[in-house]
Amino acid sequence: MNATRVLLQQHRQPMIRFLGKRTVPQKVDHTPHAHPASPTHSLPESFANYRQKAQQHGPLNPQQRTQYSTGRGAVGSHSGKSLGPVEPAKGEFFDRSELPERFRRLKWTMAEIEAVESGGASLYV
Amino acid sequence: MFKTLIPKATSRSLLRPVGQASSTFRPSTFYLVDRARRGYATEAEEKDLVIIGGGVAGYVAAIKAGQAGLKVACIEKRGALGGTCLNVGCIPSKSLLNNSHLYHTILHDTKNRGIEVGDVKLNLEQMMKAKETSVSGLTKGIEFLFKKNNVEYIRGTGAFADEHTVAVNLIDGGETSVRGKNIIIATGSEATPFPGLSIDEKRVVTSTGAIALKEVPKKMVVIGGGIIGLEMGSVWSRLGAEVTVVEFLGQIGGPGMDAEISKMTQKILQKQGMKFKLNTKVTKGDDSGDTIKISVEAAKGGKEETLDADVVLVAIGRRPYTAGLGVENIGIETDERGRLVIDQEYRTKLPHIRVIGDCTFGPMLAHKAEEEAVAAVEFITKNYGHVNYNAIPSVMYTHPEVAWVGQTEAEVKNSGVKYNVGSFPFSANSRAKTNLDTDGIVKFIADAETDRILGIHIVGPNAGEMIAEGTLALEYGASSEDVARTSHAHPTLA
C-alpha cells in the first residue's frame, strides 16, 4: 500500500491543462480601474469625477435615488420590467423641468425672434 | 416648439435665407452658435466606431470591428495604411536585416561551407527597392481588407471637434467630419529627438532615415543601444559601415533584456565588428562640418571624447504621438510621458473613447497593439476582452536574434521569489552545428517550489520564432518540466 502511495505521488501532474471551452465570465466588473500596464497603478480622480458628473441625472448616481434607480451603480443589472412602468401613474405628471437640461425647452433670444420676423434679414445687418 | 412645426429633414434648408446659393452662404456667428444650441443634426455621418490612426493598432481594430458588423471609419494621415510598423519600422527594417545578412554571409561565410563565390557587389538601390516592394504589397493588402470588411478609409488628419465628432483635414484637400458612437485613438508614437541635434533624416537620422540612406556611411554613430539602434546598426555594419553604439546604461538591448543575455549579445555583435561605449552619455553634437562630431563622456562624469561620423542615428526611444489630435478640446489627460491615461478596458475618462497601442501604457510593440485592438473591439461588441501583459514577447532581429518573454533574472530576484535557472547552449544543438551557426543560449527561469516558468530568454538563430513556444508555455502557466517532456522534432533548433 505504501508502495502504491509512493507511485501515486510520483505520478506527474502537468501544469498545462485544457481549461475547457473559453467563455465570457458571467460577472465582469466594468467600473474603471487602473490599466494593468499603468506605471502608477492608479487612475486620476477625473475618471470618477467625470462618471459622477455624467450620470448626475441618471439612476447610477446613488445621491439621486428615484423609484427607477437601483442606487448601486448598476442600471443594467436589473431588467427594465422589474424597474416598473415608464408611464406615470394615473393623476401623476412629469414636468419638463425634471428632465436634464438638454431636454428642456430653449428660450427664444431677441436676436432669434428678430431673425424669424425679418425672414432672416437681421442676420446680415 | 419651432422644431415640431418644421419637418426634421427640411429644417435646415428652411432656415437658410432665401435666394442665395448654398455655396456662397456665409453663416453669421449668431447663426452657427444658435444652430448648435438648438441641437440640429450636423452634417457629420454617424458611425458605430471611428478609429483615428491606421497603424497596426488602428487597422486591426477596424477590420475586427468590420467583421463584427459595426459601421467603421478609419482615419489615417500618412496616405498609406500600416503606420510606423509597416511603412518605416518593423517591416522595412526586417527586409534590410534579412538582405544585409545574406550579403554579409555571402561575402564572409561561404568558403568554409564549400561555396565559391565570384565578385560580390552591393546594389543598395535594388536592396531598397526590394524593401519598398514588400512594404507596398502589405499596405495594399490592408486596403483590400478594409474594402472586404466594409471599413471606410478616410485619408486625412483627424482632430477632436467634440466628444463624438472628429474633424478631418483631408490629404486631397478639403475637410470633412465624422461622428462616432465609439472612438478609438490609435495614433502611435514617434522617435524621441535628441536635444542639440536637429534631425534631417539624411545625416542625422531616426529609424525612418536609417532605412532609407542613399549610400553606406563610412562611419556611423548610434545614440542609444536599444533594439532599434542595434538592429539598424547591424544593417549598416554588415554593409560596410564602421558602427559605434553609445549607450547611457551599462547594458545593451534596453532595460528589458536579461543582463546575462545582453552581455552575450554584446560579445557576439562585437565579434561582428560593432563597437560599444556603455555607461556613456552624449554631451553635444555638431553637424556643421563635413562630418558630424559627437562629444561623449562617461555617464558618471569623466574625460570627454569626440566621435566622428558621417551619419548619426538617434535611437534613444520613442514617445507617444498625440500632437494635433485635439485631446485637450475634450479634456482627455496624458501622463508625464505623454501617454493617454486609460482604465482596464482601454477607456479614457470619456467611456466611449478608448486608446490602444503606442500612445498609451505598456511596451511599444506592434503585437501588443494588435492584441489591444482585438480586446478593445471585444469590449465594445461583447463587453469583455483580455490581454495578458505578462506574456508579451520581445524580439531583437539582429544575428543571432534575441528573444524573451516573462521576467528577467534581476526582476525575479527583486521580487524575492526563490527560483531556478537552467540554460542550454546552441553549441551543443545538432541543428545549430549543422548550420555552422552555434552562437547563443536558451535560458529558463522557473519558480523553485512549483517549477512554473517565470521567464524564457533566448539568444540564437531563429530565437524570434522559438519564443512563440515560450510565450504559449507562459500563457498556460506551464512548468519547465512540461516543456521538457513535450516532444520536439530532431534535429531542430527548438
Side-chain angles (χ1 to χ4, degrees):
Chain A
M1 190 175 162
N2 276 341
T4 314
R5 192 179 295 154
V6 169
L7 273 175
L8 274 174
Q9 279 170 355
Q10 282 178 350
H11 181 70
R12 190 176 154 269
Q13 286 287 330
M15 286 177 100
I16 303 176
R17 270 183 231 111
F18 182 58
L19 302 170
K21 191 179 185 310
R22 302 295 184 270
T23 49
V24 174
Q26 285 192 330
K27 282 185 181 175
V28 181
D29 179 11
H30 291 293
T31 54
H33 300 294
H35 186 268
S38 162
T40 57
H41 304 294
S42 64
L43 273 181
E45 279 295 301
S46 59
F47 275 67
N49 291 344
Y50 180 85
R51 208 173 157 83
Q52 185 82 359
K53 196 178 160 193
Q55 294 162 348
Q56 61 183 319
H57 297 293
L60 296 185
N61 187 342
Q63 308 302 319
Q64 296 269 325
R65 288 189 188 197
T66 66
Q67 59 173 315
Y68 306 114
S69 75
T70 61
R72 285 181 296 142
V75 73
S77 62
H78 294 266
S79 68
K81 198 180 171 189
S82 70
L83 295 174
V86 177
E87 295 289 320
K90 203 178 177 188
E92 213 178 88
F93 298 94
F94 289 145
D95 194 290
R96 197 176 266 204
S97 62
E98 287 172 20
L99 294 170
E101 201 173 359
R102 66 181 184 280
F103 296 119
R104 290 183 210 161
R105 179 180 294 180
L106 291 172
K107 282 182 185 167
W108 291 95
T109 64
M110 281 311 291
E112 207 171 351
I113 292 168
E114 265 184 44
V116 173
E117 284 181 347
S118 66
S122 68
L123 301 175
Y124 297 92
V125 179
Chain B
M1 180 188 84
F2 193 55
K3 275 163 85 175
T4 54
L5 288 175
I6 302 170
K8 227 176 183 181
T10 55
S11 60
R12 276 191 291 152
S13 57
L14 277 175
L15 281 171
R16 276 186 190 144
V18 183
Q20 281 203 352
S22 59
S23 58
T24 55
F25 173 59
R26 283 174 297 161
S28 67
T29 314
F30 156 73
Y31 186 79
L32 283 176
V33 168
D34 207 57
R35 270 182 68 190
R37 194 175 77 96
R38 288 203 167 268
Y40 295 135
T42 65
E43 288 172 18
E45 191 189 349
E46 174 110 342
K47 297 277 183 188
D48 294 322
L49 175 62
V50 172
I51 299 163
I52 309 175
V56 176
Y59 83 69
V60 171
I63 292 167
K64 188 82 187 164
Q67 286 168 348
L70 300 186
K71 274 168 71 185
V72 193
C74 181
I75 303 163
E76 170 57 51
K77 68 191 279 190
R78 193 186 293 270
L81 293 167
T84 299
C85 168
L86 220 67
N87 290 283
V88 289
C90 327
I91 300 300
S93 68
K94 262 41 339 133
S95 168
L96 291 181
L97 277 158
N98 188 51
N99 292 335
S100 64
H101 177 60
L102 278 175
Y103 170 74
H104 193 259
T105 306
I106 293 167
L107 203 62
H108 300 289
D109 192 23
T110 49
K111 271 186 190 164
N112 61 336
R113 292 174 187 269
I115 306 166
E116 293 289 339
V117 182
D119 250 7
V120 181
K121 281 184 192 163
L122 172 68
N123 184 343
L124 188 60
E125 204 182 325
Q126 188 55 40
M127 196 179 270
M128 292 295 171
K129 269 187 196 161
K131 174 200 79 179
E132 280 147 25
T133 309
S134 309
V135 169
S136 65
L138 285 166
T139 53
K140 280 175 193 154
I142 303 170
E143 279 190 45
F144 166 75
L145 287 173
F146 268 25
K147 278 181 198 153
K148 195 180 163 193
N149 293 292
N150 298 320
V151 176
E152 188 188 346
Y153 172 25
I154 304 173
R155 293 172 174 82
T157 308
F160 280 99
D162 63 48
E163 292 176 7
H164 281 277
T165 313
V166 182
V168 187
N169 210 341
L170 296 168
I171 293 175
D172 299 330
E175 287 171 8
T176 186
S177 64
V178 58
R179 278 180 68 79
K181 285 178 195 150
N182 295 284
I183 296 175
I184 289 181
I185 302 174
T187 47
S189 60
E190 60 179 352
T192 308
F194 190 84
L197 275 173
S198 50
I199 310 278
D200 61 7
E201 297 295 10
K202 283 180 183 136
R203 294 206 308 154
V204 181
V205 298
T206 62
S207 55
T208 305
I211 55 162
L213 295 180
K214 302 277 181 226
E215 58 184 45
V216 180
K218 279 190 187 126
K219 288 184 177 179
M220 183 182 212
V221 168
V222 179
I223 306 177
I227 291 176
I228 294 173
L230 294 177
E231 286 185 356
M232 294 322 299
S234 280
V235 166
W236 295 107
S237 167
R238 290 169 190 168
L239 297 181
E242 186 188 315
V243 176
T244 307
V245 178
V246 183
E247 170 57 51
F248 184 81
L249 298 175
Q251 69 164 52
I252 61 165
M257 193 184 280
D258 186 85
E260 185 187 357
I261 297 289
S262 170
K263 265 184 201 162
M264 183 173 283
T265 308
Q266 190 186 337
K267 271 186 196 163
I268 296 167
L269 294 178
Q270 269 169 344
K271 255 196 324 191
Q272 293 171 9
M274 286 172 76
K275 292 177 185 166
F276 291 93
K277 287 189 175 295
L278 304 187
N279 294 310
T280 304
K281 64 179 174 190
V282 175
T283 51
K284 60 177 186 260
D286 176 13
D287 57 1
S288 56
D290 286 344
T291 57
I292 306 159
K293 299 201 184 306
I294 300 292
S295 303
V296 298
E297 65 177 41
K300 289 175 184 167
K303 202 180 157 194
E304 199 174 81
E305 188 187 343
T306 304
L307 302 173
D308 253 356
D310 301 300
V311 170
V312 173
L313 166 60
V314 177
I316 54 171
R318 296 182 67 80
R319 63 184 183 188
Y321 180 67
T322 53
L325 186 59
V327 284
E328 61 285 351
N329 298 344
I330 50 171
I332 293 180
E333 296 138 318
T334 53
D335 71 359
E336 76 289 349
R337 291 172 69 178
R339 294 172 292 207
L340 293 163
V341 179
I342 51 167
D343 66 13
Q344 83 282 11
E345 294 186 5
Y346 308 101
R347 296 171 298 196
T348 61
K349 76 176 184 190
L350 309 177
H352 68 285
I353 301 177
R354 296 174 200 255
V355 188
I356 53 173
D358 283 6
C359 55
T360 187
F361 305 131
M364 289 187 181
L365 296 169
H367 45 277
K368 169 257 189 190
E370 278 177 36
E371 294 298 321
E372 288 185 338
V374 173
V377 171
E378 283 180 345
F379 273 120
I380 293 169
T381 56
K382 297 178 185 166
N383 240 353
Y384 181 69
H386 182 66
V387 175
N388 181 358
Y389 287 89
N390 296 320
I392 293 177
S394 298
V395 183
M396 182 167 87
Y397 296 85
T398 49
H399 188 84
E401 291 179 352
V402 185
W404 66 94
V405 65
Q407 294 171 277
T408 63
E409 192 173 344
E411 283 168 347
V412 177
K413 198 179 270 182
N414 286 342
S415 69
V417 173
K418 283 183 184 166
Y419 65 95
N420 289 327
V421 176
S423 62
F424 190 83
F426 279 103
S427 56
N429 174 284
S430 50
R431 187 73 193 275
K433 279 271 191 207
T434 56
N435 290 350
L436 299 177
D437 199 0
T438 53
D439 282 337
I441 61 163
V442 177
K443 175 176 174 179
F444 270 66
I445 304 167
D447 189 300
E449 280 176 29
T450 62
D451 195 30
R452 186 178 179 147
I453 297 169
L454 302 172
I456 299 173
H457 306 266
I458 309 172
V459 50
N462 267 12
E465 314 293 329
M466 287 189 289
I467 201 65
E469 184 184 0
T471 310
L472 196 65
L474 205 71
E475 182 73 48
Y476 266 84
S479 66
S480 58
E481 192 183 345
D482 288 338
V483 176
R485 287 187 183 276
T486 304
S487 178
H488 290 77
H490 171 83
T492 61
L493 296 165

